[in-house]
Amino acid sequence: RRNLEYRSSIALSYVRENLFGFADREYRALAAEAKSKKYMDLEATFHEAMALYQTDDLEAMKHLDAAEDALRSDADLAAVTRDEHMAVIRRWRGVRSLHAGNPAMADVCIRVMQQRYESTENEFIGDQLHALRGTWLVEQHKYQEAIPELEQASDDAFSLDLLARAKRELGDGSGADATLRQLLAIHAS
């Protein structure tokens, strides 16, 4: 298991270099190996990673579906692990749906995540929920409402980028710059 996790850093380095074809090859091999060894949560992780950098929304959705299939095929997976992975899948399914012009699907993702968050009080699920809500509000140009959602999201690069954009749209250049410095600190590490 650790070997697969370690080898995923190679695929990630390809993503950072915008060599998506090489990244796809590595992640596909890792996902197949994880599946063969019955590490279904790890297989899901690799498909989730692939969905993030895809330039085509439909291709990203296929990876999110594959991640969900992997999770559903493991009856022994801990509920908290399944819930957290499903939160990631729903967040990115919602983001990709917004990008593809399907806000109704994003709304479904938000409602399902809200229900799960309320029943579990799992902060990771809450972070994913806030990130998706913030994305939706930015897409609607409701920057004032988006900022608190994105501030409550985890400090992931995507949320920070949207937060900087929302602040800049509202004329808070110094706040946007501070957020971008925070974003760049992630990439420097």
Side-chain angles (χ1 to χ4, degrees):
R1 182 176 176 102
R2 289 218 188 274
N3 182 318
L4 290 172
E5 292 170 334
Y6 175 76
R7 287 173 33 215
S8 71
S9 64
I10 295 168
L12 181 58
S13 67
Y14 287 136
V15 172
R16 288 182 174 162
E17 297 296 323
N18 292 324
L19 299 170
F20 301 133
F22 288 110
D24 282 348
R25 186 188 67 211
E26 291 297 324
Y27 275 126
R28 277 193 189 101
L30 290 166
E33 191 172 337
K35 183 175 186 169
S36 73
K37 293 181 177 182
K38 307 280 190 240
Y39 299 141
M40 306 318 277
D41 60 323
L42 200 51
E43 179 190 358
T45 297
F46 297 142
H47 283 292
E48 290 162 11
M50 291 175 73
L52 295 184
Y53 65 80
Q54 297 301 315
T55 56
D56 179 67
D57 292 324
L58 183 59
E59 191 64 28
M61 292 292 207
K62 289 178 185 176
H63 287 294
L64 294 171
D65 289 344
E68 187 170 353
D69 290 345
L71 295 173
R72 293 192 189 287
S73 71
D74 187 351
D76 297 326
L77 190 64
V80 68
T81 302
R82 184 182 327 276
D83 286 348
E84 289 180 354
H85 276 282
M86 288 304 299
V88 170
I89 291 166
R90 288 183 181 114
R91 172 193 177 177
W92 291 106
R93 186 172 284 142
V95 168
R96 290 299 187 143
S97 295
L98 286 170
H99 189 257
N102 186 358
M105 175 57 79
D107 182 54
V108 168
C109 292
I110 287 171
R111 283 188 283 118
V112 170
M113 287 172 68
Q114 179 70 42
Q115 291 170 349
R116 180 56 68 190
Y117 177 59
E118 289 172 358
S119 69
T120 64
E121 296 182 1
N122 181 314
E123 289 303 316
F124 182 83
I125 296 170
D127 286 345
Q128 299 301 308
L129 174 61
H130 290 299
L132 178 53
R133 276 190 193 147
T135 302
W136 191 4
L137 291 165
V138 167
E139 289 291 319
Q140 295 176 3
H141 306 285
K142 295 181 178 179
Y143 304 113
Q144 194 69 44
E145 296 172 51
I147 288 173
E149 291 289 344
L150 293 167
E151 287 175 338
Q152 289 185 60
S154 63
D155 290 338
D156 69 270
F158 298 99
S159 295
L160 288 171
D161 183 54
L162 283 175
L163 180 58
R165 180 175 152 201
K167 287 180 177 181
R168 191 157 320 279
E169 288 291 336
L170 290 176
D172 181 7
S174 64
D177 290 344
T179 302
L180 286 175
R181 282 192 295 280
Q182 189 178 356
L183 173 62
L184 292 172
I186 291 173
H187 291 292
S189 59

